[in-house]
Amino acid sequence: MQKAVALKYDYTAAPTVTAKGSGLLAEKIMAVAKDNDVLLHQSPELVEMLSTLELGEEIPESLYLAVAEIIAFAHQIKDHQW
């Protein structure tokens, strides 16, 4: 079953979980992200870990590196769009 977790990062604290779900809810989360030009990253292992967090909860320090790499990649893509 498809799962999705949305994160918010405002550069003042660790990223927080803003939405999560599976099945139809996961599809809706991904559709909203696409509609708003938000990067979608597929990592089943990371989604499994993030989906254990509560809405509004900051990601744990053990996931900082994995999430930081995704954020850096998203910035790289955004900077190279014409």
Side-chain angles (χ1 to χ4, degrees):
M1 179 176 288
Q2 183 75 18
K3 288 187 177 183
V5 176
L7 299 176
K8 177 182 179 184
Y9 181 52
D10 63 7
Y11 302 94
T12 62
T16 57
V17 175
T18 57
K20 65 179 187 171
S22 59
L24 292 176
L25 183 54
E27 291 175 20
K28 179 66 175 175
I29 291 167
M30 291 184 290
V32 169
K34 287 179 186 176
D35 290 346
N36 289 281
D37 295 322
V38 173
L39 174 72
L40 293 174
H41 176 79
Q42 293 186 16
S43 174
E45 298 85 9
L46 184 56
V47 167
E48 284 299 322
M49 290 184 271
L50 292 171
S51 65
T52 65
L53 303 175
E54 298 297 324
L55 293 178
E57 187 174 352
E58 290 185 354
I59 64 167
E61 192 172 330
S62 60
L63 297 179
Y64 281 7
L65 181 59
V67 172
E69 288 175 352
I70 295 166
I71 291 170
F73 180 70
H75 282 291
Q76 231 177 5
I77 290 172
K78 184 179 177 184
D79 291 344
H80 288 89
Q81 290 179 346
W82 319 101

